[in-house]
């Protein structure tokens, strides 16, 4: 591996040279002449490809709504998180951090709860002061993704601003409601960002965005009702002999 030290770096393939970025540095490598694959390498490549597609789908659905700058390792961190949880385990995405440096546990001691009515409940708690920060902005981002068809069904957001004018501010709690109907898995992200009087604080520890809820699509419930017994007269079988009670007289009309 060689490191490209140039005023005009490039990415991609140029002849038998491939340029790519890793940890903020532009690297070079040559294209292998032959690639030998075994069953295990083919299987691993298939899993890695599916994981990369799932990670790209999640990023394309959520990052356009974020007001923070994710770290450069977001792609690799998300793919590793998906592989660790299991490619088809959507619930394993819970607690993933879009900001690798800081999580929501820095700002809130009590965990949020996503309710069935589509609201994210943030419990009442004390919020400490954060240096020069005068305001905290909370943003809920909800997106519904159908991973089976690899489509983004919709996105909704909700915003709340909290004044931090005291050293230890008591937050009375809030419910931020989002509504994203449709088919697929619902991912709910809570973003926290600190502000001074007029500007946001550009510090890696002053912002965070975590996945706080993963709601799978509920299959429609089918209720089975017992069939009521039929009431009424039964029609006689035409081929069966007719019996007449003894206390009745049968009159045949000519």
């Amino acid at each position: 591996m060689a490191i490209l030290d140039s005023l005009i770096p490039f990415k991609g393939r140029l002849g038998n040279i491939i340029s790519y970025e890793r940890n903020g540095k532009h690297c070079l490598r040559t294209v292998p002449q032959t690639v030998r694959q075994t069953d295990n390498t083919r299987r691993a490549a298939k899993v890695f490809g599916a994981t990369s597609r799932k990670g790209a789908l999640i990023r394309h659905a959520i990052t356009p709504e974020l007001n923070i700058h994710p770290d450069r390792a977001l792609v690799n961190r998300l793919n590793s998180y998906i592989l660790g949880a299991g490619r088809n385990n959507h619930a394993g995405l819970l607690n993933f951090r879009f900001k690798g440096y800081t999580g929501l546990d820095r700002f809130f001691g009590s965990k949020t709860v996503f309710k069935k009515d589509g609201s994210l409940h943030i419990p009442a708690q004390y919020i400490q002061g954060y240096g020069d920060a005068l305001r905290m902005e909370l943003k809920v981002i909800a997106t519904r993704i159908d991973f089976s068809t690899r489509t983004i069904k919709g996105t909704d957001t909700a915003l709340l601003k909290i004044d931090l004018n005291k050293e230890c501010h008591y937050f009375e709690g809030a419910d931020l409601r989002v509504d994203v109907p449709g088919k697929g898995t619902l991912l709910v992200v809570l973003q926290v960002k600190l502000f001074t009087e007029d500007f946001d604080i550009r510090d890696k520890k002053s912002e965070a965005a975590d996945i706080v809820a993963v709601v799978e699509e509920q299959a429609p419930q089918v209720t089975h009702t017992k069939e009521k017994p039929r009431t009424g007269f039964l029609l006689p079988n035409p081929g069966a002999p007719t019996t007449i009670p003894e206390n009745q007289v049968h009159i045949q009309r000519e």
Side-chain angles (χ1 to χ4, degrees), residues 108 125-138 160-172 193-198:
F108 296 106
Q125 56 194 291
Y126 283 98
I127 301 177
Q128 64 180 0
Y130 297 96
D132 298 332
L134 300 178
R135 187 175 79 252
M136 175 184 289
E137 185 178 275
L138 305 181
L160 176 65
K161 297 179 181 179
I162 305 173
D163 291 330
L164 301 176
N165 52 4
K166 300 178 181 179
E167 281 189 24
C168 194
H169 179 81
Y170 181 73
F171 175 59
E172 297 180 352
K193 195 171 178 64
L194 298 180
F195 289 79
T196 58
E197 187 173 355
D198 298 319

Side-chain angles (χ1 to χ4, degrees), residues 233-243:
F233 298 99
L234 295 177
L235 297 177
N237 187 354
T242 304
T243 57

Side-chain angles (χ1 to χ4, degrees), residues 2 14 16 20 23 30 34 51 112 134 157 162 179 185 188 199 204-205 207 210 217 222 224-225 230 235 240 253:
L14 182 62
N16 64 338
Y20 61 98
N23 296 329
T30 58
T34 58
T51 300
T112 59
L134 300 178
T157 61
I162 305 173
D179 184 21
T185 303
V188 183
F199 304 99
K204 61 183 180 181
K205 294 184 179 180
E207 53 188 20
D210 298 0
E217 180 188 8
V222 179
H224 298 279
T225 57
R230 297 180 180 178
L235 297 177
R253 298 184 182 274

Side-chain angles (χ1 to χ4, degrees), residues 58 62 78 81-82 90-99 104 112 120 141 143 186-191 208-215:
I58 295 172
I62 296 177
L78 181 56
Y81 207 85
I82 295 173
H90 304 152
L93 296 169
L94 188 65
N95 299 324
F96 175 76
R97 297 179 177 181
F98 284 88
K99 193 79 172 182
L104 292 178
T112 59
L120 182 66
I141 304 169
T143 183
L186 184 67
L187 302 180
V188 183
V189 176
L190 178 59
Q191 173 190 274
D210 298 0
I211 296 179
V212 294
V214 180
V215 183

Side-chain angles (χ1 to χ4, degrees), residues 4-51:
L4 178 63
D5 186 8
S6 174
L7 295 176
I8 306 177
F10 70 95
K11 293 182 181 180
R13 180 171 176 175
L14 182 62
N16 64 338
I17 301 296
I18 297 178
S19 175
Y20 61 98
E21 186 177 355
R22 183 176 183 182
N23 296 329
K25 297 181 180 181
H26 291 274
C27 305
L28 299 176
R29 64 180 177 88
T30 58
V31 179
Q33 295 181 354
T34 58
V35 178
R36 296 180 181 180
Q37 284 190 328
T38 63
D39 292 339
N40 291 334
T41 56
R42 291 190 187 94
R43 191 180 302 110
K46 185 177 180 180
V47 172
F48 179 78
T51 300

